[in-house]
Amino acid sequence: MRLSLKKVAIVCLFVFLWTSQVLGAQPPPLSASDLPGDDGKAVLLLWPRMPYEASEVFYVVQGAEGPEGPFEEIARFPSNSRYRTERRAPFWTWRKGKDEHFFVVRTIGGRPLESGREYYFRLGVDLGEGPSFGPAVSAIPKPNWFDFKKLNNLIFMVLLAGVVLWFIGRARKKELFLRRIPGLDAIEEAIGRATEMGRPIYYLTGRLGMSSVSTIAATIILRDIAKRAAGYDAQLKVPHTDPVVMAVCREVVKGAYLEAGRPDAYNEEINFYVTDDQFSYTMAVDGMMVRERPAAVFLMGYYYAESLLLAEVGASVGAIQIAGTDAEHQLPFFVTACDYTLIGEELYAASAYLSKEPALIGTLRAQDVGKAFLTAFLVLGAIASTIGVWAGIEHKIDYFLDILRDFS
Amino acid sequence: MRKLAEKILSMDRRAIYLLMASAALLPFVTGPLGLPSRVSPEVKAVYDRIESLPEGSPFLISMDFDPASKPELYPMAEALVRHAFRKNLRVIGMNLWVTGSGMAEKILSDVAEEYGKKYGRDYVYLGWAPGATNVILGLGQDIYKTYPRDYYGNETSGMPVLEGVRTLKDIPFMVDLAAGDPGIETWVVYGKAKSMAGGCTAVIAPGMYAFLNSGQLVGLIGGMRGAAEYEALLKEMGKATVGMDIQSTTHVLILGLILLSNFAFFATRRRR
Amino acid sequence: MSPELLGAWVAAGLTLAIFSFLYKDNPFFKFGEHLYIGISVGYSITLLVFNFMIPKWWTPLFREGRMSLLVPTALGLLIWTRFFPRFSWLSRWAFAFVVGFGAGIAIPRTISNFIFRQVESTAVPLVSRGQQGVSFGWGDFSNFLIAFGVLSVLTYFFFSVEHKGPIRPLARAGVLFLMVSFGASFGYTVMARVSLLFGRMYDLVEYSSRGYGYATLVLLGLMVAVFLAQALSKKREGG
Amino acid sequence: MFLRQYVPMAIAFVMGVVFAVQYYVPHPASEELLTTVNDWLIVVSGFSMVLGLASLMGSHWAKVRRGVPGWGYSLVVFLGILGTLAVGIASKGKMFAGEELTLTALGWVYDNMLVPLQGTVFSLLAFFMASATFRTFRARNLEAGLLLTAAFLVMLGHVPLGEYIWDKVLGFLPPKADQVMGWIMNVPNMAAKRGILLGVGLGMIATSLKIIFGIERAYMGEGG
């Protein structure tokens, strides 16, 4: 083996350069400042990336309550970690990158930082033989009046508020379009059939009181059905479980019969009280349905476990059943036992459609705008993040995805 | 054939009730079936999270249910508290459903007695308070203002079990056991828990998967099956494991009924 | 009779009284159900007094003199004006306070947890990058299905345009996703209901043992006898 | 009009705006405000609970007084309330007493009356469910068929006996019953629930906004 002096010299030079750089590793310059957007109990430390960083080389962060110390160790971590990219923060408050390290100090020696007090910090580099420290720097944590990380949340709220108010205002001026709900088309058919067969129509408003949105929707739909029933001269029956709802429904049905030009056909007994007890009510209504074999049954409003008992009996007597509820747990029963089911929000939409109430229609339109926006964002977001992975530019896609991310 | 099918379809509902009662009583007659349930990743995640907590960490368990869901959530709560005591965690119990207070108290004191844990040092029962949303919000601000006194009327500040705990943020892990509203969703929206898992009745479990997928819940124990899986992980066969036998017989009965009614339905329809 | 034994008889009797509803609606059931309402209200009042009114209101306000509690006390009294129809409009002030606060705290937290967190975990990459480069596996397919499902369900609940053209198949897919989820919910619900049944059956079986004086069996026999006698007398009347 | 209508609307507006904005303000003063008002509201909730309980008692009392059919059952309700209250006061609202942790009278009522009654009322649903399933769960169209299939698979994967049957009958398939169930729950079910959740979330925000701006006034009660 021939070893030229020149080669040895070059190797020696490299070894020397490497060791001098590592052994003489100077800690990077540290900067300390108040962490923005908090309650004033944290300090943000930043320092640049150094060439000697590796998983065996450690950074040590120390803090003290006075310039002279005593300095206490706060954290110790591999020097190739805690780059700016690793912090979950939106692009509008935080620059991501691997050129700088960060550390958020909240306690020194287990004691939480207090706002308005000056604290001192220093950074050390440890190559395995104990750390060597740079000079200490200081910062005073201060409370802030706005958390910019939540800016997107605030903007979303303000925009949504604007959209809701704007659409309600517009709905007051002119009629806004709402699509027809398929279940509503079936109403006509069901009432027609009941008239033909000479059997009654049952209408149930659910088990909640007038304070519930679903009960209100149910009374609005009742108005429409009562009007048609009056026109066809069909027999309507509304068994009740809440006296207040019954009182409201009496007014609603009376008004509907008047509107249909059939005040003579109106009868106080269309709405009648059964009992407020859940299962007794259900059994009583089931008994009536078995005896009278209604041709159509409407189950609108909020239901609990009685839903399956009611829908089951209605189906077994061969009635056309149309249900509408926002009680998610009861939907499976309605869907399987009824001919049409208004699912969740469809119930509200149906009531808005029938009542033409500007506040209802406007809200529905505003929510649609919200849904359209979310839908568009979802599509673009999924495509963008797929491209991001494909092309290896995930961090660039974050500029887009951050818009609807939660940073609280 | 068609007649038979029609007869089947118009079977009296009380006949089905009788079948159901028989299926439910069957395991009491035959003895345990001894079939194991496989552990799902959702339940394992809760178990692993508790395993990973260092000894002495505070652990909050909110038992938001009432006697109507006792068979599902009582064994679940017992299993979780047992696990926490085994790991020597400091257990903080509370509840938001007024009629569940008695059960929550019983679970904590029974399991604590079993493990020789001392009240005030190893565990505390904060009890029930009205205004669920406000209670949860309040815990995120200051536990001692929301619960100045525990269930037994002792002052909470200065209790060794609560040392170092000022808000929910100081509690590394919590589990909410819920039978409805207020429950997991309320905790997700208003709580500032660092890390949280849910246990719930089977009725609401399917809706919780959205929070599980987004990481707002680290794990989910659903219904009696979930409780039985947790008992299996603890290697402690409790009431949920016993109950799975009834689940087996009744589920198979209902599956059979579905098949039967659909066959009968299509048999009668085809002829028409 | 020891309290425990008496307890077993009472519990078995009440359980059977409620179960008798499966035969038909009857006085035993009605008694049990109303007793249940009464006890749960009584229990709630007891807890309200001993776990709330005394330790968190009376003692701090009147014994320790925490004057800041006067504000909620005033609000609470305003709510109680509902008991007096002439002044009940005053309760609106208190309700406005409570409801306004609730609406205010709900908005940003709902945005953060029901909207942002959900959107973020749906808009995820539909391919994954591994050692062999970019691939499309089962997990990615599931992610695709999730994104598509969320999208189509949102489309189904869209009321501003008719379900025509390209929206129609999307809304239709939304319905199918909803159906699968309703089916899954149903499957889970069966388990919940059976669990409750197990709880009651377990106790009934336990109470039918000798140690409890065969409570379940005796009470069940009595109840059946009553129903039989009733049915017979009805028959006689009718015949 | 001013006191009955505008004052409450103004209160709701101010409270709503202040506490919506509070979320974005991390300053200790803002946190202190939230803590204080929130504490008040816990006390207020206690007062409003009395309202709910009292109205329930009132409706039963009215039945007893008027002697409507079945008034005897309303008397049973009162019996339950008064009896429980009496033992509750005697037991100071606790389930257990003394060093030995013996069951108090309240604990006895809770364990032997409330727990079985409530548990049984809800366990009736197991029976109703079985019969409803039998009578209505038919694959009459694609939607119902899909619902049924999902329910069937979830139920099968949910119980040990179901898993056992799957292993015996469909054991040659790579996924096990519990894995199929897990996938249904985590993927299609989750997607639908999330879609619903987004809609519900928007609805909740819209309702809250309407309360703040005085468009939604149902909380004011009748005539509001």
Side-chain angles (χ1 to χ4, degrees), chain B residues 12-249:
Chain B
D12 188 67
R13 95 155 69 112
R14 276 171 273 196
I16 298 168
Y17 294 165
L18 208 64
L19 278 175
M20 193 70 183
S22 321
L25 283 170
L26 190 66
F28 289 108
V29 181
T30 59
L33 300 177
L35 293 169
S37 338
R38 282 186 274 253
V39 177
S40 58
E42 295 93 292
V43 175
K44 185 78 170 33
V46 184
Y47 179 86
D48 289 344
R49 189 74 185 78
I50 292 186
E51 275 297 300
S52 74
L53 292 173
E55 217 169 89
S57 317
F59 167 66
L60 176 72
I61 178 165
S62 187
M63 292 170 264
D64 307 333
F65 57 94
D66 60 8
S69 33
K70 183 182 173 190
E72 292 181 273
L73 295 176
Y74 197 99
M76 210 185 272
E78 260 185 341
L80 282 163
V81 173
R82 209 165 255 150
H83 192 193
F85 279 147
R86 258 193 217 176
K87 291 285 302 173
N88 290 323
L89 304 181
R90 290 182 279 153
V91 177
I92 305 162
M94 60 175 279
N95 91 315
L96 298 173
W97 284 38
V98 60
T99 45
S101 307
M103 283 189 297
E105 182 189 1
K106 197 166 145 67
I107 291 163
L108 283 170
S109 46
D110 280 0
V111 183
E113 199 183 351
E114 194 181 309
Y115 284 86
K117 296 288 178 180
K118 199 171 161 284
Y119 190 85
R121 187 193 66 196
D122 304 314
Y123 77 104
V124 60
Y125 179 44
L126 297 175
W128 166 84
T133 306
N134 300 107
V135 172
I136 296 173
L137 213 53
L139 291 176
Q141 300 295 115
D142 190 337
I143 285 180
Y144 302 104
K145 282 201 172 141
T146 313
Y147 279 107
R149 283 160 212 279
D150 68 358
Y151 180 74
Y152 303 98
N154 309 310
E155 288 215 13
T156 43
S157 63
M159 265 193 188
V161 59
L162 290 173
E163 201 191 309
V165 178
R166 177 133 213 110
T167 73
L168 278 182
K169 277 187 187 151
D170 303 318
I171 297 173
F173 185 53
M174 70 161 286
V175 177
D176 179 38
L177 300 181
D181 184 35
I184 296 174
E185 284 187 30
T186 330
W187 279 98
V188 164
V189 176
Y190 296 102
K192 287 183 192 164
K194 257 188 167 167
S195 152
M196 169 184 169
C200 56
T201 59
V203 177
I204 51 176
M208 295 302 125
Y209 277 82
F211 300 116
L212 186 70
N213 174 276
S214 63
Q216 285 158 296
L217 296 178
V218 297
L220 182 68
I221 314 174
M224 190 180 252
R225 158 83 186 231
E229 288 174 26
Y230 212 94
E231 284 175 356
L233 284 167
L234 289 180
K235 300 196 173 52
E236 195 136 354
M237 299 306 146
K239 243 186 174 173
T241 313
V242 180
M244 284 315 284
D245 282 346
I246 283 197
Q247 298 285 4
S248 282
T249 54

Side-chain angles (χ1 to χ4, degrees), chain B residues 14 68 71-72 98 101-102 134 137 149 151 188-190 202-203 205 209-210 214 216 224 239 246-247 250, chain C residues 22-23 43 47-48 51-52 56 64 101 105-106 109 113-114 117-118 121 188 190-192 194-196 198 202:
Chain B
R14 276 171 273 196
E72 292 181 273
V98 60
S101 307
N134 300 107
L137 213 53
R149 283 160 212 279
Y151 180 74
V188 164
V189 176
Y190 296 102
V203 177
Y209 277 82
S214 63
Q216 285 158 296
M224 190 180 252
K239 243 186 174 173
I246 283 197
Q247 298 285 4
T250 49
Chain C
L22 294 172
Y23 170 64
Y43 185 76
L47 274 159
L48 192 64
N51 285 316
F52 172 71
K56 282 165 194 152
E64 295 161 8
F101 175 87
I105 56 164
R109 289 170 178 83
N113 290 295
F114 278 18
R117 292 292 295 258
Q118 306 304 323
S121 42
Y188 255 68
V190 170
M191 158 145 295
V194 172
S195 302
L196 303 184
F198 160 72
Y202 189 92

Side-chain angles (χ1 to χ4, degrees), chain A residues 240-261:
Chain A
H240 283 281
T241 174
D242 183 320
V244 179
V245 178
M246 180 173 75
V248 171
C249 286
R250 281 211 165 129
E251 290 306 308
V252 165
V253 174
K254 202 173 182 176
Y257 272 70
L258 252 167
E259 243 176 275

Side-chain angles (χ1 to χ4, degrees), chain A residues 90-324:
Chain A
F91 68 85
W92 57 89
T93 64
W94 184 256
R95 181 178 58 79
K96 301 221 166 164
K98 282 199 143 190
D99 57 330
E100 235 178 355
H101 295 270
F102 79 96
F103 189 82
V104 176
V105 186
R106 294 183 196 278
T107 55
I108 293 178
R111 298 177 301 281
L113 303 191
E114 289 164 32
S115 51
R117 200 172 151 184
E118 191 165 19
Y119 291 95
Y120 297 82
F121 304 94
R122 61 182 194 185
L123 181 72
V125 183
D126 187 358
L127 303 163
E129 295 140 4
S132 58
F133 286 96
V137 291
S138 78
I140 303 170
K142 281 192 292 273
N144 307 100
W145 287 102
F146 189 75
D147 185 352
F148 276 95
K149 292 197 296 300
K150 292 175 178 169
L151 185 67
N152 53 350
N153 191 314
L154 179 65
I155 292 175
F156 192 89
M157 173 173 80
V158 171
L159 285 181
L160 204 61
V163 171
V164 168
L165 292 179
W166 194 72
F167 272 107
I168 292 177
R170 264 200 40 173
R172 281 188 180 145
K173 281 189 208 113
K174 64 170 201 172
E175 204 171 298
L176 296 179
F177 174 78
L178 277 188
R179 84 171 154 87
R180 194 140 169 84
I181 314 292
L184 290 180
D185 294 327
I187 291 179
E188 190 79 40
E189 185 200 335
I191 295 176
R193 205 175 81 124
T195 319
E196 262 169 45
M197 298 169 86
R199 290 201 204 148
I201 299 164
Y202 270 67
Y203 189 98
L204 275 59
T205 57
R207 290 237 325 124
L208 289 182
M210 277 321 293
S211 58
S212 130
V213 190
S214 21
T215 313
I216 295 170
T219 57
I220 291 172
I221 297 171
L222 173 62
R223 183 186 191 84
D224 183 68
I225 286 172
K227 212 156 55 182
R228 290 170 199 237
Y232 276 105
D233 213 6
Q235 190 194 354
L236 181 65
K237 290 203 156 191
V238 192
H240 283 281
T241 174
D242 183 320
V244 179
V245 178
M246 180 173 75
V248 171
C249 286
R250 281 211 165 129
E251 290 306 308
V252 165
V253 174
K254 202 173 182 176
Y257 272 70
L258 252 167
E259 243 176 275
R262 296 296 315 274
D264 53 305
Y266 176 72
N267 171 357
E268 280 285 293
E269 291 311 304
I270 289 175
N271 288 278
F272 57 100
Y273 183 73
V274 182
T275 167
D276 62 351
D277 177 81
Q278 182 185 15
F279 288 115
S280 300
Y281 171 81
T282 312
M283 278 299 122
V285 174
D286 277 358
M288 284 182 249
M289 289 208 275
V290 170
R291 280 195 303 278
E292 300 183 2
R293 304 182 69 80
V297 176
F298 295 93
L299 301 153
M300 300 286 168
Y302 201 93
Y303 292 85
Y304 294 94
E306 68 277 5
S307 70
L308 52 137
L309 285 165
L310 293 168
E312 177 203 327
V313 170
S316 72
V317 300
I320 289 192
Q321 298 202 92
I322 301 176

Side-chain angles (χ1 to χ4, degrees), chain C residues 192-211:
Chain C
R193 304 305 184 215
V194 172
S195 302
L196 303 184
L197 182 60
F198 160 72
R200 300 319 309 139
M201 287 289 174
Y202 189 92
D203 285 0
L204 281 183
V205 169
E206 196 170 284
Y207 296 149
S208 54
S209 69
R210 202 174 154 197

